[in-house]
Amino acid sequence: MITASGITVQFGQKPLFEDISITFSKGNVYGLIGANGSGKSTFMKVLSGDLDPTSGNVSIQKDRRVSMLSQDQFAFEETNVMDCVMMGHKKLWSIKKERDRIYALDEMTEEEGLKVSNLEIEFADMNGYSAESDAGELLLGLGISIEEQSLLMKNVSPERKLKVLLAQALFGEPDVLLLDEPTNNLDLDNISWLEETLKDRDSMMIVISHDRHFLNNVCTHMVDLDYGKLQIYNGNYDFFMVESALSKTLLTNENTKKEAKIKELESFVRRFSANASKAKQATSRANQLKKIKLDDVKKSSRVYPFIKFDQDKKVYNSALEVEKLNKSFDTLEVIKKFSVNIESGERIAVIGNNGIGKSTLLRCFMNDLKIDSGKVTWNKNVNIGYFAQNHNEEFKYDISLIDWMAKWGQKDDDMQVIRGTLGRLLFSQDHIDKSIKVLSGGEKRRMIFGKIILQKPNVIVLDEPTNHLDMESIESLNLALSRFKGTIVFASHDREFISSLATRIIEIKDDKISDYSSNHELLRSEV
């Protein structure tokens, strides 16, 4: 359905990727993965036609409609939400506008009457009469209410604008659907809805996502962009992880066998090349040597930060007791009479829809928000490492990375420890003296992890820690937390993260807060 031939994109001296050729076939869902900066989003723009490659070409099967998730949330500010969604089908939208224009005329000529009749036929063929209800259904599935659907985009919050743009991409069931990070700003219910929606589609899809659970649920193939080359794997993300590791192992093992054979042949040639009776055999071995070629086992461009959380001292018994906690904003009750006891060593996941109060609850735990009534009592021996969802305040001063990190070291930590921590978090020697004000979102998050590493806490509280992280950082954080011996309380929409870590779940809903002893108990309650 889409064929890319000899695609090269170059910015400056070095190509981002070069001579890529691949065919994406009808009915398949491809997960496009690779390290940050490998060129995934750029390659997607080339496929959509939004970016011309340096060389090569993209061909799309004739009469196939391509839809791509827009990343510009401010492109439709003067358009209402419903119209913005329907604009996703450009031809249908063009016909609708011309049809409405003609009907709005005071008088219609015979030519215009004939034209609008033909437009009506085209409009009907494209299911135009159900367009508004179809768009409304998509918006409702993403949590955009009927009342919001008539608002101008400029009056919609940034995270909800992104949902509208996702509905725009999905509208009209395009033949080819290109989705770059579609789960960003979606809560668990929205993501589940999106998965089911995509599974019901016949579209050929290419998806970029850092949500491992999402990739496992929707993808039939994985396309790995590594060192400027693409390799395709049948199966979902978990299959890719196993298959790619196995392929590399087999290649390495094959090289090991070849190296042993090379040594054996070289030894024979050295020993007997000057021996007249063995000269013929030595020549034969030398010819065999020339034919043996070691396979090129490239080191992956993926780089994993090393994250390891150690606790300085252990907390016994209860880590946190909360009694009848109440928190409101004006007349809006967010947390009402909430009580909980968290034992040392538990891993608590706080889940719920966007805006329901997860961050509010964690901020109340941390005394980051003043509670209206009730009690929040931490064990007197707790040392808390806190990862806030918004940590811009921590990076507002113009100081270097190494000076910022040094603030969190223990008394006996020298600068070598600080430099080592930064290095393990992928900050090179060349970068540690630059200002923290120029850090990206992902880099700031790695710095916060470094702060927590140096604090050696026995309790870690995290609010959406996987946002803005690449897959490698998410997997490293996931592993570090799974090995941490202390207590963890975290809010997240990452289902793989939740299911692999949580020993207990607190779910916040509009009418109540439920406390589940396990993922399995939560799943049973939803059946």
Side-chain angles (χ1 to χ4, degrees), residues 34-299:
N36 272 8
S38 61
K40 301 185 296 295
S41 295
T42 301
F43 185 64
M44 192 84 97
K45 288 176 183 176
V46 170
L47 293 178
S48 70
D50 287 348
L51 178 70
D52 291 329
T54 307
S55 62
N57 63 80
V58 174
S59 61
I60 299 174
Q61 195 173 334
K62 191 177 179 182
D63 297 328
R64 300 298 176 181
R65 188 168 74 84
V66 180
S67 181
M68 182 170 179
L69 174 59
S70 173
Q71 303 295 317
D72 185 0
Q73 59 181 283
F74 303 109
F76 305 93
E77 293 293 83
E78 299 301 324
T79 306
N80 73 44
V81 168
M82 177 64 73
D83 286 350
C84 183
V85 174
M86 290 194 291
M87 288 167 72
H89 194 322
K90 293 178 182 177
K91 187 174 181 180
L92 175 66
W93 179 250
S94 176
I95 290 171
K96 181 181 184 301
K97 280 182 68 179
E98 182 61 12
R99 168 179 168 270
D100 292 349
R101 183 193 69 79
I102 295 174
Y103 281 134
L105 294 173
D106 291 334
E107 291 186 17
M108 193 185 301
T109 65
E110 185 178 339
E111 184 182 351
E112 286 166 336
L114 181 60
K115 182 177 182 181
V116 80
S117 297
N118 291 329
L119 289 175
E120 288 287 6
I121 294 170
E122 284 192 83
F123 194 66
D125 287 343
M126 293 184 193
N127 299 318
Y129 295 112
S130 64
E132 284 201 17
S133 62
D134 292 343
E137 188 176 334
L138 289 171
L139 289 166
L140 288 172
L142 288 165
I144 308 296
S145 67
I146 293 174
E147 293 73 24
E148 290 175 292
Q149 293 176 19
S150 60
L151 293 175
L152 289 178
M153 285 288 281
K154 67 181 181 182
N155 297 324
V156 177
S157 68
E159 70 172 29
R160 297 178 89 71
K161 285 180 185 178
L162 294 171
K163 290 183 178 182
V164 175
L165 294 179
L166 178 56
Q168 181 190 75
L170 296 170
F171 177 70
E173 303 209 7
D175 301 296
V176 177
L177 186 55
L178 307 177
L179 299 174
D180 191 347
E181 295 293 355
T183 61
N184 280 0
N185 296 289
L186 300 187
D187 56 38
L188 293 173
D189 288 344
N190 293 153
I191 295 171
S192 294
W193 173 88
L194 178 60
E195 286 176 353
E196 293 308 310
T197 299
L198 296 182
K199 286 178 189 176
D200 287 341
R201 298 286 181 96
D202 292 327
S203 309
M204 189 281 285
M205 305 177 208
I206 303 174
V207 180
I208 298 172
S209 179
H210 290 140
D211 186 327
R212 297 163 292 176
H213 198 282
F214 179 75
L215 292 174
N216 277 331
N217 276 355
V218 304
C219 291
T220 60
H221 297 73
M222 301 305 298
V223 181
D224 184 29
L225 181 55
D226 200 3
Y227 273 114
K229 300 295 180 185
L230 276 183
Q231 185 165 354
I232 193 165
Y233 294 84
N234 292 328
N236 61 16
Y237 183 76
D238 281 349
F239 183 85
F240 156 76
M241 291 294 287
V242 173
E243 185 69 13
S244 60
L246 180 61
S247 296
K248 188 172 181 180
T249 300
L250 290 174
L251 206 58
T252 302
N253 289 345
E254 188 62 29
N255 273 355
T256 301
K257 292 178 183 177
K258 288 179 180 179
E259 286 168 350
K261 186 65 175 178
I262 287 170
K263 286 181 181 178
E264 177 190 326
L265 293 172
E266 285 177 338
S267 174
F268 188 93
V269 171
R270 278 196 307 271
R271 288 167 57 199
F272 299 112
S273 58
N275 187 320
S277 63
K278 300 273 188 175
K280 190 174 181 180
Q281 292 177 10
T283 301
S284 175
R285 300 291 199 282
N287 289 333
Q288 287 180 48
L289 263 173
K290 293 176 184 177
K291 294 177 183 178
I292 299 176
K293 303 293 182 185
L294 293 176
D295 294 306
D296 185 15
V297 184
K298 281 189 175 180
K299 185 180 177 183

Side-chain angles (χ1 to χ4, degrees), residues 320-327 334-342 348 350 361 365 373-376 504 506-508 512-515:
L320 172 65
E321 290 186 13
V322 179
E323 300 176 56
K324 296 182 178 179
L325 170 62
N326 288 286
K327 179 60 188 176
V334 180
I335 308 295
K336 185 179 179 182
K337 293 183 180 179
F338 176 65
S339 299
V340 71
N341 181 57
I342 296 176
I348 313 291
V350 181
L361 183 62
F365 287 176
S373 60
K375 281 186 179 180
V376 175
R504 183 174 164 193
I506 294 172
E507 183 182 26
I508 305 178
K512 64 177 180 177
I513 300 179
S514 302
D515 190 347

Side-chain angles (χ1 to χ4, degrees), residues 221-475:
H221 297 73
M222 301 305 298
V223 181
D224 184 29
L225 181 55
D226 200 3
Y227 273 114
K229 300 295 180 185
L230 276 183
Q231 185 165 354
I232 193 165
Y233 294 84
N234 292 328
N236 61 16
Y237 183 76
D238 281 349
F239 183 85
F240 156 76
M241 291 294 287
V242 173
E243 185 69 13
S244 60
L246 180 61
S247 296
K248 188 172 181 180
T249 300
L250 290 174
L251 206 58
T252 302
N253 289 345
E254 188 62 29
N255 273 355
T256 301
K257 292 178 183 177
K258 288 179 180 179
E259 286 168 350
K261 186 65 175 178
I262 287 170
K263 286 181 181 178
E264 177 190 326
L265 293 172
E266 285 177 338
S267 174
F268 188 93
V269 171
R270 278 196 307 271
R271 288 167 57 199
F272 299 112
S273 58
N275 187 320
S277 63
K278 300 273 188 175
K280 190 174 181 180
Q281 292 177 10
T283 301
S284 175
R285 300 291 199 282
N287 289 333
Q288 287 180 48
L289 263 173
K290 293 176 184 177
K291 294 177 183 178
I292 299 176
K293 303 293 182 185
L294 293 176
D295 294 306
D296 185 15
V297 184
K298 281 189 175 180
K299 185 180 177 183
S300 173
S301 59
R302 291 181 174 83
V303 184
Y304 291 79
F306 179 78
I307 303 173
K308 186 173 185 290
F309 301 118
D310 293 314
Q311 54 178 346
D312 196 30
K313 57 183 177 182
K314 187 176 179 179
V315 172
Y316 294 91
N317 302 320
S318 175
L320 172 65
E321 290 186 13
V322 179
E323 300 176 56
K324 296 182 178 179
L325 170 62
N326 288 286
K327 179 60 188 176
S328 298
F329 296 98
D330 296 325
T331 59
L332 178 64
E333 281 187 330
V334 180
I335 308 295
K336 185 179 179 182
K337 293 183 180 179
F338 176 65
S339 299
V340 71
N341 181 57
I342 296 176
E343 295 294 324
S344 176
E346 284 195 289
R347 300 174 187 165
I348 313 291
V350 181
I351 67 171
N353 291 340
N354 285 339
I356 201 70
K358 301 185 299 296
S359 294
T360 297
L361 183 62
L362 294 188
R363 290 180 68 190
C364 288
F365 287 176
M366 294 302 302
N367 198 29
D368 197 19
L369 275 178
K370 186 178 179 181
I371 64 175
D372 299 332
S373 60
K375 281 186 179 180
V376 175
T377 308
W378 287 98
N379 186 305
K380 64 180 181 180
N381 292 318
V382 301
N383 172 23
I384 305 174
Y386 181 40
F387 185 101
Q389 186 171 162
N390 186 346
H391 37 249
N392 288 334
E393 279 293 304
E394 298 213 49
F395 296 95
K396 66 181 180 180
Y397 300 108
D398 190 11
I399 62 173
S400 68
L401 273 66
I402 193 164
D403 288 341
W404 186 92
M405 194 64 78
K407 293 193 301 179
W408 312 108
Q410 305 290 313
K411 288 181 180 179
D412 55 348
D413 286 343
D414 57 21
M415 291 308 290
Q416 192 61 36
V417 172
I418 307 302
R419 288 174 185 272
T421 301
L422 285 165
R424 286 188 287 275
L425 292 170
L426 309 181
F427 295 103
S428 69
Q429 189 67 34
D430 294 335
H431 291 137
I432 63 175
D433 291 321
K434 73 178 181 181
S435 173
I436 58 171
K437 298 190 90 172
V438 302
L439 293 173
S440 68
E443 287 172 330
K444 286 178 181 176
R445 286 172 175 259
R446 279 188 272 130
M447 290 289 285
I448 298 290
F449 296 144
K451 168 186 172 180
I452 297 172
I453 288 169
L454 293 173
Q455 288 175 319
K456 295 186 177 178
N458 42 36
V459 175
I460 299 178
V461 178
L462 309 107
D463 191 356
E464 298 291 354
T466 62
N467 285 357
H468 304 293
L469 291 183
D470 58 26
M471 199 83 81
E472 293 72 41
S473 295
I474 292 171
E475 290 174 359

